[in-house]
Amino acid sequence: MKRLNFWRRDLGVQLLALYLLFVLPVVVAALIFDAAASAQLERDVKAADLALGRAIALETDAFLQQAMSAVSEFAAMPEVRSADAAQFAPLFVTAMAARPDINLFYFLDDKGTMVYHAPVGPGSTVGQDFSFRQYFKDARVTDGPVVSTGRISPTTGRPVTTVVHRVLNERGQFAGVVATNLALERLSETLAEVAVQDGSAGSVLIISIIDAGGQVIAHPDPRQLLSDAYTGLPRLKTLRGALPASEIAADSSGREWLYSYAPISGADWIVAVQRPTEVAFASPRAFHNGLLLAMGVFVAGGLFFWMMLSRRVIGPLEQLAEFSRTVGRRDDRPRSAYRAPDLTHTLARADQMGHLTRALKRMEESIERRFTELATLLETSRATSSSLDADEVIDTILEQVQRLMEVNTCALVALDEREKVLRIRASRGLSEDYGRDLRIDPHDPRWPSMRAIASGRPVQVSDIEADPSFEPFRDRARREGYRSLLAVPLHAPHIGPAALIVYRRDPHLFGHDEVELIWNFANHAAIALENAALYRRTDEQLQEQTRVLESVMQSMNDGLILHDPGGRILFVNRRFAEAMDATPADLEGRPLDQIRREMLARVIDPVAFEASLSAALDGRGPRSFEFSVLRSGRRRDLRAHVFDVIDEDGNPIGHGELFQDITRYREVDRMKSALISTASHELRTPLASIKGYASTLLQDDVEWDAISVRQFVQVISDEADRLTQLVDDLLDMSRIEAGTLRLHRTEQRLPDVIARALAQVKDPASHTITTDVPPDLPPLRLDARRIEVVVRNLVENAVKYSPPGSAVRIRAERRDGHVQVTVSDEGPGVAPEHRDRIFDRFYRADDGYTRASGGAGLGLAICKGFVEAHGGSIRLEDSEIGASFTFMLPMAVG
């Protein structure tokens, strides 16, 4: 009895325990929901700012593309290519009238001097030199349009950025640039309008555009134009290579801001969207504070209620104590394990206690339902966050909708990209025929699902037989056996239109709680589909980036090999594999030592190569060194560069070796040396003769007779001709190398051309020169002077390198649409080791005839250039006696 009286006296303690058991799960669930909802809202805010930045980036890129297209079209116009301001000035004026966003069109000539700008106006800069501008330098070597960094225009005095395109004249030569200045103030006005139109009144939104040099080129505040963006956005330089991106950071005053960056691909610009976090996240924080306040009020009110209850109604509630213990219990014991008191009499009472008892019974039912809903939603959240298999998550969601809403049928419809209609993505309880035949036209607003998607709100049909808007689909519904439905849209930007549909077999008006619950399931389904779509896109982008990187490495002209610290080959590019007479697949995965041994077999000095490579890998020597190999019987000079491969944390994970073929550069060095040596030698002899004979003639103490004077002057003239010939050869060779050789073709008879060439041959009497040219050869269209040089050089070489009195033969004949001319002699011929390089410039075979005859080594190179410029070819024929050179000229010139 004492123990029973004790529990009666401590009924408040029992109620307090019951209150805690009831409140704690609700508080925990509310806090979990608050954390999830706040995080989602913050992600939505970041996504919205980033979407705004991307939209501005797209519009700005389109604006730049229009300007680029304009200067590209101008650069191709004949009026502009003429570089005559009188011809293109009307075009610039017309373009200015049509483009208010452009404050200047102008043309700089090939020296960078301003030729004309529109409008002309005060402050004209015509005649000024702008060649120092970086955009002028870039445009000279760039085929497409070039976008400059922001600057102050000296013509208008306004901040601008310049879009410029080089102009080539009719001969394909650089004639200048055509450019347009884009008014940055207009861009800033547009950003200011966007900021004003943003969302709620009084919000702080700052949008700016930063150029490739880190300058602010568009800002709602004109005073910020051309300022250093990295001062106000210190993290931008770090994030520039990883855009788009969002971050939260504090400024110098300690105020937190939300920064969102989106790239403008057309000009390496960046759109920066920033706003204070207290403004950007006002809604999530208000929601969080409101929930905390509500929870606080709920807990405080409960405590106050418990105190009042313990004071004023403890006695009447003793009967309800056992019953109240069962309310809100969520442990593992079954419901039947709790013995509730008999409340039949209390429920029948008409006073406040009766109302309280009935309210407790209703509360019990409501709590159980809410707990069931909450547990189901939590289970759905776990499934959504723990799996990227959208089909599995959606099937789980539909199962829970079916169980929780006590419906037999539900489905999720989504856009089919191939058929461009909405089809059932997943369903429960629908027949196969219905799911297979359902096609929802996205442009037909009669479908409830399309009305829900278009409005962004749930749409329900409480009775299909009574709703006239459902009349077109009534037969289909009757066959499937449902009388009412609820369609809830899915908000997921990356999956297209989609909706969750719940069907009932009886007329039913879905209440607010039911709609909200189904909408929560729809949001989870949207998250699952969005996660799967984003994962798929991210995976595709990573694969594409990997393919691009591998393609770039495979397309390198230099050999590349990467290996891990253990000496296993990880990657080789095509260039290196070809040098090893293999494919990349043959080499990758093989031990590095095995590849090294194969390389050493090709290296001319393997000991020095192995020592240099080991020193470079160990860090004991230079990371770059040069070596030579034999490839196809020819010497190739290579430069090797050894580098460390590190991960993103800076830790070494392997080594790489880059092999660059520098043979051409070494040949250029040797050619330069040969040119200097040859020019100095060939110029010294005639200059010495000219100087000697001229000095002799100028002596005052000797009077020379007319014959001697004439002989001296003749020597001076001959040596001057020799100098002129050397200079002409050098000029012709430079034109051939530069590709600027221009032919002056006329219709010529080949016998006449050969005769004129023979008339110019030096010392022809020392040899017997015979010609065999058919008289019926058709006239050829050719540059007579150049072909005469070819014939004269070949004949002079034959005379020079064959014994006196021997024969030199010239023979011409038709062959396969060409005229073939052969010059042969009876000299020693060309040694096999010189045949491959006999047509190289400055190359002379080192034999007795070469040393005796002198020369610059340009004759055959010039012959090859002149013949190939005519579309023909020249070669050294195999001959048992002497040398035989053959060149072919086409009979028809297209």
Side-chain angles (χ1 to χ4, degrees):
M1 182 61 70
K2 289 183 178 180
R3 181 173 294 180
L4 180 61
N5 290 332
F6 172 78
W7 282 108
R8 286 179 179 177
R9 288 194 302 269
D10 291 336
L11 182 60
V13 177
Q14 300 175 34
L15 292 176
L16 178 60
L18 181 64
Y19 167 77
L20 293 176
L21 289 175
F22 168 72
V23 168
L24 288 178
V26 176
V27 171
V28 171
L31 292 176
I32 294 175
F33 176 74
D34 171 53
S38 297
Q40 181 61 40
L41 288 172
E42 290 189 4
R43 287 194 295 270
D44 291 344
V45 170
K46 292 181 179 179
D49 279 12
L50 194 56
L52 175 61
R54 285 173 170 162
I56 295 173
L58 288 175
E59 293 183 5
T60 306
D61 188 57
F63 167 69
L64 284 174
Q65 293 300 329
Q66 291 178 357
M68 292 179 181
S69 177
V71 296
S72 298
E73 291 175 2
F74 273 127
M77 291 182 177
E79 295 87 345
V80 177
R81 296 178 68 184
S82 69
D84 184 0
Q87 295 188 41
F88 58 72
L91 300 177
F92 284 12
V93 174
T94 302
M96 281 297 301
R99 295 292 299 273
D101 52 344
I102 293 176
N103 65 8
L104 199 67
F105 265 103
Y106 58 92
F107 181 89
L108 305 179
D109 63 14
D110 59 341
K111 299 299 189 301
T113 303
M114 177 71 76
V115 175
Y116 176 80
H117 60 76
V120 177
S124 173
T125 55
V126 172
Q128 292 188 16
D129 181 10
F130 291 95
S131 61
F132 63 91
R133 294 288 191 194
Q134 187 62 42
Y135 65 77
F136 179 80
K137 300 176 182 178
D138 293 342
R140 290 182 66 99
V141 296
T142 305
D143 290 335
V146 174
V147 181
S148 75
T149 56
R151 59 189 180 83
I152 298 296
S153 171
T155 305
T156 62
R158 311 302 299 175
V160 298
T161 186
T162 300
V163 180
V164 60
H165 197 293
R166 72 176 182 179
V167 178
L168 303 179
N169 59 24
E170 296 299 330
R171 297 184 301 275
Q173 298 173 334
F174 178 69
V177 299
V178 59
T180 178
N181 285 351
L182 306 181
L184 298 183
E185 293 173 333
R186 295 297 298 269
L187 278 178
S188 299
E189 293 171 2
T190 302
L191 296 186
E193 293 175 1
V194 173
V196 170
Q197 295 172 1
D198 170 70
S200 58
S203 64
V204 180
L205 176 66
I206 301 176
I207 306 173
S208 57
I209 300 177
I210 298 95
D211 65 12
Q215 297 183 107
V216 176
I217 60 172
H219 197 282
D221 185 359
R223 294 172 297 179
Q224 299 294 327
L225 291 181
L226 303 185
S227 63
D228 184 5
Y230 297 141
T231 302
L233 305 171
R235 285 269 299 160
L236 175 59
K237 183 178 292 186
T238 305
L239 294 174
R240 189 165 195 126
L243 300 182
S246 295
E247 66 168 354
I248 298 175
D251 60 13
S252 57
S253 63
R255 188 182 188 187
E256 275 195 346
W257 291 75
L258 171 61
Y259 299 96
S260 299
Y261 306 107
I264 302 175
S265 58
D268 195 17
W269 291 0
I270 297 174
V271 176
V273 180
Q274 61 187 98
R275 68 172 82 201
T277 54
E278 69 268 15
V279 176
F281 301 135
S283 296
R285 292 176 180 176
F287 173 79
H288 173 73
N289 294 334
L291 183 61
L292 291 180
L293 178 61
M295 293 302 299
V297 171
F298 177 72
V299 173
L303 290 174
F304 178 74
F305 171 77
W306 170 76
M307 292 174 60
M308 296 301 296
L309 187 65
S310 63
R311 288 184 181 183
R312 303 179 65 86
V313 292
I314 284 294
L317 286 180
E318 289 179 354
Q319 189 180 3
L320 301 176
E322 292 298 325
F323 172 76
S324 62
R325 292 176 185 175
T326 65
V327 178
R329 299 297 292 262
R330 304 297 295 175
D331 56 23
D332 295 334
R333 285 179 292 173
R335 185 79 177 142
S336 59
Y338 297 99
R339 297 181 59 187
D342 185 6
L343 300 178
T344 304
H345 177 70
T346 307
L347 288 171
R349 289 172 55 176
D351 59 7
Q352 290 85 350
M353 191 57 62
H355 288 295
L356 176 61
T357 304
R358 290 189 290 274
L360 285 175
K361 290 293 290 183
R362 291 192 296 271
M363 182 184 298
E364 179 191 29
E365 296 172 357
S366 176
I367 289 175
E368 288 299 323
R369 186 170 62 255
R370 293 300 181 189
F371 270 125
T372 302
E373 294 174 356
L374 183 59
T376 304
L377 288 175
L378 289 175
E379 182 181 351
T380 304
S381 297
R382 285 193 294 270
T384 302
S385 60
S386 62
S387 175
L388 288 174
D389 188 345
D391 293 333
E392 177 184 346
V393 175
I394 291 172
D395 190 64
T396 301
I397 291 173
L398 294 182
E399 179 184 359
Q400 292 169 346
V401 169
Q402 195 177 34
R403 175 172 55 85
L404 194 61
M405 299 301 299
E406 297 180 353
V407 296
N408 296 322
T409 310
C410 54
L412 188 142
V413 295
L415 181 66
D416 188 324
E417 293 290 346
R418 292 177 298 177
E419 299 185 16
K420 302 302 180 183
V421 295
L422 270 71
R423 299 190 59 187
I424 291 180
R425 172 80 178 264
S427 67
R428 295 186 69 85
L430 286 175
S431 65
E432 293 184 4
D433 293 339
Y434 186 86
R436 183 179 59 253
D437 298 337
L438 183 64
R439 300 288 192 278
I440 300 177
D441 185 354
H443 303 291
D444 188 350
R446 296 177 300 173
W447 291 91
S449 54
M450 292 312 305
R451 282 187 283 153
I453 292 171
S455 63
R457 303 290 301 174
V459 171
Q460 64 173 306
V461 179
S462 59
D463 188 353
I464 64 172
E465 299 294 341
D467 193 331
S469 66
F470 203 79
E471 194 276 334
F473 320 112
R474 195 167 292 157
D475 292 339
R476 185 194 301 269
R478 290 170 180 168
R479 289 194 301 270
E480 190 61 25
Y482 61 86
R483 286 287 300 272
S484 58
L485 64 87
L486 172 66
V488 180
L490 272 63
H491 299 293
H494 294 94
I495 65 171
L500 177 63
I501 307 176
V502 176
Y503 304 90
R504 292 184 64 96
R505 299 188 181 278
D506 58 331
H508 180 76
L509 181 63
F510 292 88
H512 179 268
D513 291 342
E514 292 177 305
V515 173
E516 289 295 324
L517 183 59
I518 295 175
W519 206 345
N520 280 328
F521 283 115
N523 288 335
H524 283 90
I527 293 172
L529 291 173
E530 186 77 357
N531 288 343
L534 291 175
Y535 176 79
R536 184 173 62 254
R537 291 192 177 191
T538 301
D539 185 61
E540 291 173 354
Q541 290 175 356
L542 289 175
Q543 292 181 5
E544 179 62 24
Q545 291 174 358
T546 302
R547 286 193 296 270
V548 169
L549 179 59
E550 185 173 353
S551 298
V552 170
M553 296 170 69
Q554 290 289 4
S555 302
M556 293 172 58
N557 288 327
D558 302 329
L560 177 64
I561 178 173
L562 302 176
H563 53 87
D564 62 16
R568 185 173 60 90
I569 302 297
L570 301 176
F571 175 83
V572 295
N573 67 352
R574 200 159 32 242
R575 184 73 171 183
F576 182 85
E578 290 172 355
M580 300 297 295
D581 298 326
T583 65
D586 297 334
L587 301 180
E588 291 174 358
R590 292 173 59 184
L592 181 62
D593 292 341
Q594 185 178 1
I595 305 299
R596 289 276 163 72
R597 288 194 295 271
E598 296 179 12
M599 292 177 62
L600 289 174
R602 293 170 167 82
V603 176
I604 294 177
D605 189 350
V607 175
F609 170 77
E610 191 167 15
S612 299
L613 182 59
S614 299
L617 289 172
D618 297 341
R620 296 180 287 103
R623 305 307 295 269
S624 296
F625 60 91
E626 297 180 4
F627 63 99
S628 300
V629 299
L630 284 177
R631 187 181 302 167
S632 300
R634 297 191 62 179
R635 176 191 176 104
R636 308 294 296 180
D637 297 318
L638 302 177
R639 178 184 290 120
H641 177 69
V642 178
F643 58 92
D644 297 326
V645 181
I646 59 176
D647 59 16
E648 57 186 12
D649 296 326
N651 300 318
I653 59 175
H655 297 285
E657 297 162 22
L658 189 68
F659 298 96
Q660 181 182 13
D661 191 337
I662 60 172
T663 305
R664 181 173 177 273
Y665 303 111
R666 292 293 172 264
E667 288 182 352
V668 169
D669 291 339
R670 288 191 288 269
M671 285 168 48
K672 290 179 180 177
S673 300
L675 173 60
I676 295 173
S677 175
T678 301
S680 61
H681 178 270
E682 293 299 320
L683 290 174
R684 185 180 296 112
T685 301
L687 285 175
S689 298
I690 292 172
K691 176 63 176 177
Y693 282 100
S695 299
T696 300
L697 289 174
L698 291 175
Q699 290 181 1
D700 295 332
D701 56 346
V702 179
E703 288 191 10
W704 303 99
D705 58 79
I707 296 177
S708 298
V709 170
R710 181 171 182 82
Q711 289 177 347
F712 292 169
V713 172
Q714 184 64 44
V715 171
I716 293 174
S717 176
D718 291 342
E719 295 300 326
D721 291 342
R722 182 177 174 185
L723 282 177
T724 301
Q725 183 63 46
L726 177 60
V727 172
D728 289 342
D729 288 347
L730 291 173
L731 290 176
D732 285 339
M733 197 69 249
S734 67
R735 293 189 187 101
I736 292 171
E737 289 294 320
T740 60
L741 182 66
R742 297 290 182 267
L743 300 179
H744 302 284
R745 296 177 184 265
T746 58
E747 195 170 273
Q748 299 285 334
R749 295 183 68 254
L750 186 60
D752 297 340
V753 174
I754 294 176
R756 289 196 297 270
L758 292 177
Q760 302 173 32
V761 174
K762 296 179 181 179
D763 195 19
S766 61
H767 292 70
T768 302
I769 301 176
T770 62
T771 60
D772 182 8
V773 181
D776 59 344
L777 284 179
L780 303 177
R781 286 192 56 79
L782 46 80
D783 188 327
R785 186 175 68 84
R786 264 54 184 252
I787 299 302
E788 289 172 11
V789 170
V790 174
V791 175
R792 187 190 72 227
N793 283 349
L794 294 177
V795 173
E796 287 184 348
N797 276 356
V799 171
K800 185 186 302 182
Y801 295 113
S802 61
S806 61
V808 175
R809 291 175 294 278
I810 304 172
R811 184 176 67 257
E813 59 182 328
R814 296 188 186 186
R815 179 166 294 183
D816 299 330
H818 290 71
V819 171
Q820 176 176 296
V821 180
T822 302
V823 178
S824 57
D825 60 47
E826 298 177 351
V830 180
E833 63 269 20
H834 302 309
R835 297 178 68 89
D836 290 342
R837 302 191 61 189
I838 197 68
F839 290 102
D840 291 353
R841 55 196 180 280
F842 303 115
Y843 183 80
R844 306 185 70 229
D846 188 12
D847 54 33
Y849 282 103
T850 302
R851 290 189 295 269
S853 60
L858 293 175
L860 291 179
I862 291 173
C863 290
K864 183 175 184 292
F866 284 172
V867 171
E868 290 180 350
H870 282 78
S873 61
I874 186 170
R875 64 182 182 274
L876 173 62
E877 299 282 4
D878 293 331
S879 178
E880 295 181 358
I881 300 176
S884 180
F885 289 89
T886 296
F887 67 90
M888 302 182 71
L889 298 174
M891 297 178 64
V893 179

